[in-house]
Amino acid sequence: MLDVSGSPAYGEATVNGLLKKEGKASAPAQTSNEDMKVVLESFRLLIADLCQQFGMGHPGSAIGMAAIGVALWKYGMRYAPHQPDWFNRDRFLLSNGHACLFQYTNLYLSGYKAMTWEQLLSYHSERPDSLCPGHPEIEHEGIELTTGPLGQGIANAVGLAMASRHLGATFNRPGYDVVNNHTWCIVGDACLQEGVGCEAFSYAGHLKLGNLTVLYDNNQISCDGSVDLTNTEDVNKKMEACGWEIIDVEDGVNDVASIVAALEKGRDPNRSKPLFINIRTIIGVGSAVAGQAVAHGVSLGADNITKMKKAYGWDTTKTFHIPDKVKQFYADIPKRGNEYVSEWNDLLAAYTKAHPDLAQTFKDRMAGKLPDNWSSMIPSTFPTDTTPTRKSNNLAISKILAECPTFMVGTADLTPSVNLTWKDYSIFNPPDLEPTSGAQGSYAGRYIHYGIREHVMAAISNGLAAYSPRTIIPITSSFFMFYLYAAPAVRMGALQKLKVIHVATHDSIGAGEDGPTHQPVELASLYRAMPNMLYIRPGDSEEVAGAWEEAVKWDGGPAMISVSRQAIPQLSGLTRRDGVSKGAYVLKEEENADVTLIGVGAELSFAVNVATALSSSSPSIKARIVSFPSHALFRQQPLEHQRQILKRNEGIPAIVIEPYVSLGWERWADAGINMKGYGHSLPGKYIYDYFGYSTENMEKGIKGFLRDWKEGKIGRGEYVEL
Amino acid sequence: MLDVSGSPAYGEATVNGLLKKEGKASAPAQTSNEDMKVVLESFRLLIADLCQQFGMGHPGSAIGMAAIGVALWKYGMRYAPHQPDWFNRDRFLLSNGHACLFQYTNLYLSGYKAMTWEQLLSYHSERPDSLCPGHPEIEHEGIELTTGPLGQGIANAVGLAMASRHLGATFNRPGYDVVNNHTWCIVGDACLQEGVGCEAFSYAGHLKLGNLTVLYDNNQISCDGSVDLTNTEDVNKKMEACGWEIIDVEDGVNDVASIVAALEKGRDPNRSKPLFINIRTIIGVGSAVAGQAVAHGVSLGADNITKMKKAYGWDTTKTFHIPDKVKQFYADIPKRGNEYVSEWNDLLAAYTKAHPDLAQTFKDRMAGKLPDNWSSMIPSTFPTDTTPTRKSNNLAISKILAECPTFMVGTADLTPSVNLTWKDYSIFNPPDLEPTSGAQGSYAGRYIHYGIREHVMAAISNGLAAYSPRTIIPITSSFFMFYLYAAPAVRMGALQKLKVIHVATHDSIGAGEDGPTHQPVELASLYRAMPNMLYIRPGDSEEVAGAWEEAVKWDGGPAMISVSRQAIPQLSGLTRRDGVSKGAYVLKEEENADVTLIGVGAELSFAVNVATALSSSSPSIKARIVSFPSHALFRQQPLEHQRQILKRNEGIPAIVIEPYVSLGWERWADAGINMKGYGHSLPGKYIYDYFGYSTENMEKGIKGFLRDWKEGKIGRGEYVEL
């Protein structure tokens, strides 16, 4: 533990070798140091009281960051509490989301209307309608994105800053900076350790995002104790190596003035590097547990809070007390915010006069409008030769990508594999970057080379999507298997219902010789289980067209289009793009059928081939075929419709053919030809046979099952793995 | 693209601003430069021919790394091709696993018996028994771990180096360094970008792993083009900031001597920092596509290979040619290897005389033996008061942890939450590290503070486990939700059947006020779907005991024990630890039952309460209760046994109560009281009611379902979400 024994109430602690003391506040010129001291004390005590109320919560970091809060909400950020959705507002993210009370309290103090006093008091209460959940949530006023899982917030912030740079480069004209907001993000020690955070820092430095400022709440304490138990890297040097500018603030507990000065440097419009402000703070400062891990996640205790109040010279009988002086201090913020908005509205009006067409486009984008005819840009027919569905993707949407600037397409270093470029696509990169290969960058570019960083690609895309609804629709791409790397961010997108489209290629054992590390057999179970996620496996170009229509329309969250590496046959005349819209549809009906074969995605044609073989076997077996690209869409259909498609309630058993593990199919089928373990390294043309997916072998398995079925050997509800 | 137009055969390319030319080889003193040139050319052409054979593969990096291969296998590493499992061998990992042909060819050249000429030629063939899969796989001789998903290998390497340090600190005695092997790892640009790689570098630097050397194949090319498209950080500076020593090798194409010199510095036993050798290479050097992304993942083409041979002055009609001179160059390696082993055997014999008891312990550890009585260290009874199962964990296994040094326990900064310490536990940290909090470190310590780095925790644990089977059994711990961060590495452990035990706490909405970001509702679907993974949700302390017995015994891969944050009742007299062994068991039988209620894990008692309520309702409903902690174990049971437990084939419907999404339960139940979306931030005592898990509400739902069931409204195989 940090040694704070000498002075428990006014904590002294050694942080990074510096002796730290809570004491004389240093305020920007317009406020006295004495007044600032009251503001800071007031904030710390309010946090302590709020956590003590229900004996739960995360008080330590919020208390330690009091001065940072003042610097941001009072001085640094441009925002409008009474018009919280103002388009050009500064964005703020608390990447260390467990310290959420810090944000809620600052929202309250700066005058957000939804954050009433009663709401602030609801932190950790039994109120299901509380605006103060245990981590900040996007649904609530003043919160840009849901944070909490560590490292996500900083990655989201990079996305927000990229969105601003992109829209600025696209729409600003000399004298008319209609998009020039700044992004501010607080990170704790964890965001610097988490891999996704490391990816974010590295990539933001590369992108030279001068419109991004990170404030590092450097309290050197995590749950297990002092950070040097587990991390002894030279953080500033590492950040410099990643292309960031560094400002140190030695006394982040009291020195509001220095933090404000650093924020001002951050906002400088000529910055060509993101700014990292390394602010030394003390967790739980002023309390008996100052500088200790125990200050992190439990309330401080009534006695300790009383001691704090006493040491501050405050009335120990008062709880939740905010002196009038403090209220006055924050009182002008809503008015100031309204002024920002009205200045911007004036600017927008002048811009509309000077650049009427561009302004209309800008307004459409702000409103999240796509061209009315977007879906007609998808071809109505496709070539009939065998094609990998990853290439079908390009056939289906390259016109949309070229003509609808709403879409920004990214890839985790798989441009040659994912086929998501379009004619004359331009790269999103800093304008002064001349890479050894490829074209010079521009922030107006819409193709994003994320590097080999799948996780941050998805997390940044959440930020791009959250900048403003449907103003940018980010598309990500990688091999399906690497959406396991990206999964924590994909899930955060789903939780927040963010409009992101993920394109996952090489989605089956058909990926071939790369072997089991690259062959997804269980991953679809995760994405089929994930709430709000539209996971689709289209079976040929026609279904790919349907998948994109659904993915673009879907407003429930992210979508994932899962496509093949290998060439697969076009089932022309059988597949229907509108069939995709209900998740499953009858590909081929058969009167008095003996069995329903369910085909899926890259292996949809297997079902067709087996049905043909069964029909010509002796005795002939009649198989109807259902194409089943999406569980999520089929689950939304009424039971009656589901029964009409599957006909299991007419006594016809359903057998699914999909070389993934069975988990998830037991709901829709009575048996399956599924994978029972991991894949194998074999070229695509051999691997299916190796795992029993030859027509002959499948036919045999199905016949055996049907015999057992007719003899009543299959118990009700049982699922048979053939 | 890099400009190589001037001299396509002998590639010239600007890499990192240095003019690079394939040309005069520089060899260690005992070999002439001229001979070395032949060795390098021979290797490059062999790689080119092997990829050309089937027109597939990854030639570029392997060709570019020819000199690195010579430096490692001929000069740098201590290993024994004819005794490949020698305990104290150096470990080598190819983190850029797609370049696997590099490793296979070096295994062949250095005389590994399994890697016959015929086997080497099977790369990308149709042979399912090929030892040359598309990425290196642990099953095969000379391969330490399966690599491929980028960044995993470097993290595994950190685990291997930690294992060596730990075993050395535990068993070495003055004059008897029985464990002192070195770990070598090649990384490409990707491993430096991937988050898990960043975590690994940061943590390895902290740990001061002087027995780890990373060779950076710095070819500045990835799939999308030049690396500076997406990454412009100062890599050396970043690595220095992370605590690594740096050596630059300017000409990694030809300068074997400099690489060897760097490797010698790496092996210095007095090193207190891991070593990062930044080796400039040229992808596909010597070919027309030298320095270009296209050299990465497609074969070079016959014409181009002919040109290469011509430029080298080789016979263009010969393919797969290895000159005798080259064979001779490698010929002494097996003999040298056997000498290493026999020296070590002598050392071990002397050690056994000098330290007989310790040597016996060491031999038991090498043999992967646990004390015969390990399972009797689990208490036979537990306190009957309500207890979080995360605390039951400690009750169940703290004695094993204290007395069986085979176990190393790690946590991603959640020591106070996961309850996996034991009396006088010691921390694994460098001996000269004196952290601000906590005890001084020792490599003999068995408790690992991984920091807030879940992904690398799991990946490092794979390395710890792979050092030698069951010599170390690593345990990891975090909140269940963050095993989504760790999932790619957990999967790699499952694929490799590595013995790692993951402890996942806070495994339900009962985690409470942290809210939906921290409440897993869909994650179990992934781990239940993952082949080889033993996922168990025990319902109380007694089942926790059973879960640990199964987890320790399980030899199919990793296990995950999924436990509650919140206190839950002990179902004493009902739960049975031996019941866990078959995945599901009858908790309470009932004659002529109307329904089977399936209870699981933290909410097992809900089933008991509902059954009681149903029995006393009017008319009384008879519910039998099945506890179902593990799908993986239940799936292994014969169908007959499954039917005896579930009795669905006797016409009794089964209803599962688990606040996860239903996906996965449709196989075992006819209906479920499951989550339909994400959780909510509410304290634990309110959240279950909020989502309909009050006994009253569940009773109502079940009654409604049973009415429908009796009236035949539920179709065969349909699953109803209540």
Side-chain angles (χ1 to χ4, degrees), chain A residues 195 199 202 226 228 233 436-437, chain B residues 195 199 202 226 228 233 436-437:
Chain A
E199 292 180 8
S202 170
S226 59
D228 58 4
E233 68 193 18
T436 313
S437 77
Chain B
E199 293 180 8
S202 170
S226 58
D228 58 3
E233 67 193 18
T436 313
S437 77

Side-chain angles (χ1 to χ4, degrees), chain A residues 319-389:
Chain A
T319 51
F320 308 113
H321 179 54
I322 305 175
D324 287 343
K325 185 184 282 186
V326 175
K327 289 180 184 162
Q328 267 176 344
F329 178 79
Y330 286 102
D332 67 328
I333 292 177
K335 181 166 163 287
R336 184 186 72 185
N338 288 343
E339 287 163 9
Y340 286 139
V341 179
S342 96
E343 282 165 23
W344 185 79
N345 285 338
D346 293 347
L347 178 73
L348 189 63
Y351 172 74
T352 304
K353 276 191 191 156
H355 304 281
D357 292 348
L358 193 62
Q360 188 54 51
T361 309
F362 180 50
K363 286 170 187 170
D364 286 347
R365 291 288 297 279
M366 286 198 287
K369 276 191 201 161
L370 281 176
D372 292 336
N373 66 339
W374 68 265
S375 67
S376 73
M377 296 180 197
I378 301 175
S380 55
T381 60
F382 293 95
T384 55
D385 45 335
T386 62
T387 311
T389 38

Side-chain angles (χ1 to χ4, degrees), chain A residues 198-516:
Chain A
C198 296
E199 292 180 8
F201 286 120
S202 170
Y203 191 51
H206 168 80
L207 289 179
K208 304 188 177 183
L209 294 173
N211 63 341
L212 172 64
T213 296
V214 165
L215 300 92
Y216 169 29
D217 173 33
N218 184 356
N219 64 29
Q220 287 293 310
I221 290 293
S222 66
C223 293
D224 279 9
S226 59
V227 165
D228 58 4
L229 257 180
T230 191
N231 197 23
T232 38
E233 68 193 18
D234 182 334
V235 170
N236 283 1
K237 184 172 174 179
K238 182 174 168 182
M239 294 298 295
E240 270 177 14
C242 289
W244 289 62
E245 186 180 336
I246 315 295
I247 296 179
D248 286 294
V249 173
E250 298 300 335
D251 178 5
V253 170
N254 306 297
D255 188 358
V256 176
S258 288
I259 304 173
V260 170
L263 299 187
E264 278 167 11
K265 285 199 80 172
R267 182 185 287 288
D268 177 351
N270 297 318
R271 297 188 56 73
S272 63
K273 286 183 175 186
L275 178 64
F276 183 78
I277 313 180
N278 187 334
I279 308 175
R280 276 69 169 183
T281 63
I282 300 174
I283 194 167
V285 70
S287 80
V289 292
Q292 296 179 28
V294 71
H296 174 78
V298 286
S299 53
L300 300 177
D303 283 359
N304 188 14
I305 295 173
T306 301
K307 279 184 203 158
M308 272 180 89
K309 289 178 181 168
K310 215 169 188 174
Y312 284 162
W314 286 50
D315 182 343
T316 58
T317 63
K318 283 190 182 168
T319 51
F320 308 113
H321 179 54
I322 305 175
D324 287 343
K325 185 184 282 186
V326 175
K327 289 180 184 162
Q328 267 176 344
F329 178 79
Y330 286 102
D332 67 328
I333 292 177
K335 181 166 163 287
R336 184 186 72 185
N338 288 343
E339 287 163 9
Y340 286 139
V341 179
S342 96
E343 282 165 23
W344 185 79
N345 285 338
D346 293 347
L347 178 73
L348 189 63
Y351 172 74
T352 304
K353 276 191 191 156
H355 304 281
D357 292 348
L358 193 62
Q360 188 54 51
T361 309
F362 180 50
K363 286 170 187 170
D364 286 347
R365 291 288 297 279
M366 286 198 287
K369 276 191 201 161
L370 281 176
D372 292 336
N373 66 339
W374 68 265
S375 67
S376 73
M377 296 180 197
I378 301 175
S380 55
T381 60
F382 293 95
T384 55
D385 45 335
T386 62
T387 311
T389 38
R390 61 182 166 133
K391 293 198 174 166
S392 306
N393 266 344
N394 199 279
L395 296 174
I397 59 150
S398 59
K399 192 163 184 217
I400 293 182
L401 297 181
E403 299 197 8
C404 302
T406 294
F407 294 95
M408 292 185 81
V409 179
T411 183
D413 194 45
L414 287 170
T415 297
S417 301
V418 296
N419 299 290
L420 288 175
T421 57
W422 60 95
K423 193 169 176 297
D424 301 327
Y425 73 95
S426 54
I427 297 172
F428 180 89
N429 243 337
D432 59 346
L433 178 75
E434 291 185 49
T436 313
S437 77
Q440 180 145 356
S442 156
Y443 289 131
R446 293 195 288 116
Y447 192 84
I448 308 174
H449 289 286
Y450 282 105
I452 304 113
R453 305 181 181 105
E454 297 84 3
H455 194 169
V456 91
M457 170 175 70
I460 285 176
S461 296
N462 289 341
L464 290 170
Y467 185 87
S468 178
R470 285 179 175 255
T471 297
I472 293 169
I473 299 180
I475 295 174
T476 78
S477 63
S478 184
F479 293 167
F480 185 34
M481 202 59 248
F482 300 123
Y483 281 96
L484 189 55
Y485 275 58
V490 174
R491 180 190 200 253
M492 288 299 291
L495 174 61
Q496 296 174 76
K497 301 188 179 180
L498 291 170
K499 180 81 199 158
V500 180
I501 300 175
H502 303 288
V503 177
T505 71
H506 297 56
D507 80 336
S508 73
I509 57 171
E513 58 275 4
D514 274 343

Side-chain angles (χ1 to χ4, degrees), chain A residues 194-195 199 455 484-485, chain B residues 150-152 155 194-197 199 412 452-462 482 484-490 492:
Chain A
E194 288 283 8
E199 292 180 8
H455 194 169
L484 189 55
Y485 275 58
Chain B
L150 295 163
Q152 296 295 325
E194 288 283 8
V196 64
E199 293 180 8
I452 302 113
R453 305 181 181 103
E454 298 83 5
H455 194 169
V456 93
M457 171 175 69
I460 286 177
S461 297
N462 289 341
F482 300 123
L484 188 55
Y485 276 58
V490 174
M492 288 299 291

Side-chain angles (χ1 to χ4, degrees), chain B residues 41-105:
Chain B
E41 289 172 355
S42 161
F43 186 91
R44 292 184 199 120
L45 291 175
L46 186 52
I47 298 288
D49 283 340
L50 285 166
C51 286
Q52 190 57 29
Q53 190 185 192
F54 299 106
M56 294 186 290
H58 286 82
S61 319
I63 288 173
M65 295 194 294
I68 297 176
V70 172
L72 280 169
W73 270 272
K74 171 76 181 179
Y75 300 104
M77 292 199 289
R78 289 192 194 151
Y79 62 104
H82 290 181
Q83 296 178 76
D85 294 333
W86 170 40
F87 193 82
N88 197 38
R89 70 190 178 278
D90 282 0
R91 269 64 173 177
F92 170 79
L93 282 182
L94 187 73
S95 194
N96 49 344
H98 53 271
C100 56
L101 200 46
F102 166 82
Q103 189 167 6
Y104 303 147
T105 304

